[in-house]
Amino acid sequence: MTNKAVKANEGQKSKGWRPSLFTRFILIGTLNAVVTIIIIWICMHPFNLDYRVSNVIGYILGQIHNFLWSKYWVFANEENKERNTIRQAIMFIIAFGSAFTAQYLFMISMVNFFGMNEFWTQWLGLIVFGAVNFTMHKIVTFK
């Protein structure tokens, strides 16, 4: 190893072990999926809201939760923490809009064209959302 690599490695050891970026994203993504789906279920069942309205409410509330975890843990580093939070919030909203649109169109298509259950398509939509969301945050929001 070069001197630079040894110093970088020593710096990592002193900070303690930390899961990889992808592992952190999966952990928080899973937590966020649970938060989102619980909110959607509450909106659809006790409150009898339409599945589309429930979807919007669930994703918006879930993304507030997700932004804080993403900024301060998933994509966190000293440079990122010091970056302009307003700029990151705007980029986060753009990334969210892209991911949400992809999953929303997927969900509507599955219900309208394939007759899938309105609640279960929410679960499948989380996969579409997660893939687009991770890519956008990695490339745009927290680069």
Side-chain angles (χ1 to χ4, degrees):
M1 280 211 251
T2 66
N3 284 341
K4 241 183 189 178
V6 170
K7 285 182 182 178
N9 208 13
E10 288 171 357
Q12 286 179 332
K13 287 178 184 174
S14 66
K15 293 179 184 176
W17 180 82
R18 184 173 166 178
S20 72
L21 170 65
F22 188 71
T23 301
R24 292 189 310 267
F25 183 82
I26 292 298
L27 288 170
I28 295 307
T30 301
L31 176 61
N32 193 58
V34 169
V35 167
T36 301
I37 213 73
I38 287 171
I39 293 168
I40 290 170
W41 184 86
I42 289 169
C43 289
M44 285 179 71
H45 295 286
F47 291 107
N48 264 346
L49 295 177
D50 181 77
Y51 76 100
R52 293 167 291 216
V53 173
S54 300
N55 183 270
V56 172
I57 293 169
Y59 273 88
I60 288 173
L61 294 177
Q63 288 313 293
I64 293 167
H65 164 266
N66 193 16
F67 176 75
L68 296 171
W69 277 105
S70 292
K71 178 168 176 66
Y72 294 106
W73 192 61
V74 175
F75 295 98
N77 59 46
E78 288 310 311
E79 182 182 319
N80 186 29
K81 286 180 183 176
E82 293 174 7
R83 284 194 178 141
N84 185 328
T85 300
I86 301 293
R87 181 205 163 278
Q88 286 179 328
I90 291 167
M91 295 287 101
F92 195 91
I93 291 167
I94 291 168
F96 165 70
S98 300
F100 180 80
T101 300
Q103 78 75 35
Y104 192 81
L105 292 173
F106 171 83
M107 179 191 68
I108 296 297
S109 297
M110 293 296 103
V111 171
N112 291 336
F113 299 125
F114 299 104
M116 289 186 70
N117 177 280
E118 295 171 354
F119 183 71
W120 292 112
T121 58
Q122 308 279 351
W123 285 96
L124 295 174
L126 286 168
I127 296 166
V128 173
F129 181 87
V132 175
N133 199 36
F134 177 78
T135 303
M136 292 292 292
H137 288 322
K138 178 91 173 107
I139 295 171
V140 178
T141 310
F142 300 108
K143 64 178 180 174

